[in-house]
């Protein structure tokens, strides 16, 4: 089963461009693995969409309520995963999309809708699973471990940073900046003599003019940037030791670079991120920016400079963001393209190589390496044995691991292996769920899993897949847990 991806978002000077930019970061994660298409409305600010993207415009006459039908007629649901980011993708929209047969990932900010999506990503650290109303099958991916960030920023997140002098500042208020907060923050920074240079990054939908007049009067102190590339943006941020930005994706990017950041919110979808990072002491608390004047920014800046506490911000930011969110998010997408086929003779060498992996041998009851001769005899017997269901797991049609069921009278025993290439993506529980569905199409007996007590990761995967503790048992002299899954417990 090979899947492609539809990315669906819009943006303009009124709604901002954040939904588009977040999906751009996802494109960077999947572009070498999946074919994709970017689907947008005609009145979006489509000029910011990279030219190399395959872009499709929704006709003007298609309204949001009719969009699922239009999508189905142009992109067959069996072939596509839909990733949607925007407030128009309400519960009724999601429900229709699921009824059409699509796999759906929804990028959420507001936590106001009942969720019908297969996976909901909300990268605010403020939220808990109890905040959501959702379907039983809906998986929630919450917190900064799923931060929607571009790859170069994730590389920056690995680095340790120290700050000794604060003399260069960074300002960015996103696409449209409807309250012209960039100008107010700039005017405040200009009144603080210790700042020798100020970088202002303006969004593609910014319409105000005053900043450019200020730059003409302060050419050596003010640098204004527009349509800046990811690499150049990082270079600019790296020069700075202080920033002012709203609680949106730009704040997360700044946290990856690590510096004191005065942050607040001016739209509803920024509140959860603001509250989360404020609780974690990762930012200087600016609160509600909507009524801010230059004097308000100036007071906050001076309060910080009088008692900087720089290290506490940097330590908190370092703890919130790592370089692994790319792997975790790719794992979420890969879960939706899992399929199985029966193992065949031509899989013999691949299974042999997987089985001799160091970690696989370590977690096996027989940790000795396997010779190719013994493997060949064992493997050919297993794939022909009517009491063995030997499955190759596929991710987007690529071999990704094994699930094997040994069929006994009254029960079956499961074994699972995830290829090294796909480790770290939290796919084991999805392998277990999907393979159990396939198993119970033909068998009714419960499935037993034998797990070494010290194999905590495996225990968590089986528990997530609804396996429950059954008993302890000694296997080859090793104390083990036995977990069990009944047919009625399978997640569907």
């Amino acid at each position: 089963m090979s899947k492609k991806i539809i990315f669906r978002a819009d943006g303009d000077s009124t709604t901002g461009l954040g939904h588009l930019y977040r999906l751009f970061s996802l494109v960077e994660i999947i572009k070498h693995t999946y074919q994709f298409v970017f689907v947008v409305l005609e009145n979006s600010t489509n000029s910011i969409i990279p030219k190399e993207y395959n872009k499709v415009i929704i006709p003007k006459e298609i309204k949001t309520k009719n969009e699922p039908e239009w999508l189905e007629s142009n992109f067959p649901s069996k072939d596509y995963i839909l990733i949607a980011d925007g407030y128009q993708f309400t519960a009724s929209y999601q429900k229709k999309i699921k009824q059409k047969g699509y796999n759906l990932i929804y990028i959420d900010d507001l936590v106001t809708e009942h969720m019908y999506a297969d996976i909901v990503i909300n990268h605010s650290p403020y939220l808990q699973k109890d905040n959501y109303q959702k379907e039983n099958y809906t998986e929630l991916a919450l917190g900064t471990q799923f931060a929607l960030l571009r790859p170069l920023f994730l590389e920056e997140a690995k680095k340790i940073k120290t700050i000794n002098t604060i003399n260069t500042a960074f300002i960015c208020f996103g696409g449209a900046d409807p309250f012209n907060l960039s100008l107010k923050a700039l005017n405040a920074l200009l009144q603080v003599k210790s700042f020798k240079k100020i970088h202002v990054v303006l969004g593609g939908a910014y319409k105000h003019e005053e900043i450019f007049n200020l730059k003409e009067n302060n050419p050596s102190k003010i640098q204004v940037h527009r349509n800046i590339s990811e690499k150049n943006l990082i270079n600019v941020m790296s020069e700075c030791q202080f920033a002012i930005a709203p609680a949106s994706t730009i704040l997360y990017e700044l946290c990856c670079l690590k510096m004191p950041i005065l942050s607040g919110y001016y739209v509803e979808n920024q509140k959860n991120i603001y509250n989360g990072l404020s609780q974690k002491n990762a930012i200087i608390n600016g609160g509600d920016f909507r009524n801010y004047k230059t004097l308000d920014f100036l007071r906050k800046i001076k309060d910080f400079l009088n008692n900087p506490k720089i290290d506490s911000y940097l330590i908190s930011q370092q703890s919130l963001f790592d370089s692994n969110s790319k792997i975790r998010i790719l794992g979420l997408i890969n879960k939706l393209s899992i399929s199985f086929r029966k193992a065949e003779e031509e899989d013999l060498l691949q299974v042999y190589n997987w089985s001799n992996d160091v970690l696989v041998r370590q977690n096996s009851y027989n940790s000795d390496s396997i010779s190719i001769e013994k493997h060949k005899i064992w493997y050919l017997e297993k794939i022909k044995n009517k009491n063995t269901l030997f499955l190759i797991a596929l991710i987007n049609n690529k071999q990704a691991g094994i699930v094997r069921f040994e069929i006994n009278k009254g029960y079956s025993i499961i074994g699972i292996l995830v290829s090294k290439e796909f480790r770290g993506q939290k796919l084991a529980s999805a392998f277990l769920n999907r393979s159990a569905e396939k198993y119970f199409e033909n068998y009714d007996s419960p499935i037993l899993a034998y797990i070494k007590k010290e194999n905590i990761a495996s225990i968590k995967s089986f528990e997530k897949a609804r396996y429950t503790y059954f008993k302890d048992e000694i296997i080859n002299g090793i104390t083990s847990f036995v977990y069990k899954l009944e047919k009625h417990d399978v997640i569907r």
Side-chain angles (χ1 to χ4, degrees), residues 116-135:
Y116 289 90
D118 296 282
I119 296 169
V120 176
I121 300 174
N122 188 320
H123 62 190
S124 164
Y126 184 65
L127 298 169
Q128 305 294 325
K129 291 183 178 182
D130 291 345
N131 294 118
Y132 277 92
Q133 294 181 342
K134 63 183 186 66
E135 295 297 290

Side-chain angles (χ1 to χ4, degrees), residues 197-229:
K197 183 173 281 190
I198 304 166
H199 290 280
V200 185
V201 176
L202 301 176
Y206 186 82
K207 303 295 184 184
H208 311 286
E209 296 294 333
E210 296 95 331
I211 279 179
F212 301 101
N213 296 329
L214 279 176
K215 176 178 167 47
E216 285 184 13
N217 295 327
N218 299 271
S220 62
K221 190 167 188 175
I222 300 172
Q223 294 290 316
V224 177
H225 310 270
R226 299 193 82 159
N227 302 317
I228 188 170
S229 70

Side-chain angles (χ1 to χ4, degrees), residues 105-106 108 118-124 129 132 138-147 328-329 332 335:
I105 297 176
Y106 179 58
D108 182 48
D118 296 282
I119 296 169
V120 176
I121 300 174
N122 188 320
H123 62 190
S124 164
K129 291 183 178 182
Y132 277 92
T138 300
E139 179 179 354
L140 299 175
L142 307 180
T144 56
Q145 63 178 323
F146 296 102
R328 298 184 191 105
I329 292 169
L332 294 175
K335 283 180 184 181

Side-chain angles (χ1 to χ4, degrees), residues 150-196:
R150 291 174 281 182
L152 291 181
F153 286 98
L154 296 176
E155 289 301 309
E156 292 295 322
K158 297 177 183 178
K159 300 176 183 177
I160 305 296
K161 185 173 180 180
T162 58
I163 294 175
N164 299 313
T165 304
I166 296 177
N167 57 27
T168 306
F170 177 94
I171 300 169
C172 182
F173 278 91
D177 190 6
F179 298 95
N180 207 4
L181 295 167
S182 300
L183 176 66
K184 296 170 185 176
L186 177 57
N187 275 322
L189 286 166
L190 287 171
Q191 296 179 50
V192 181
K193 292 182 179 179
S194 57
F195 286 105
K196 306 303 181 186

Side-chain angles (χ1 to χ4, degrees), residues 48 52 143 247 270 275-276 293:
I48 70 165
E52 64 269 23
Q270 296 170 354
N275 288 331
K293 296 179 174 57

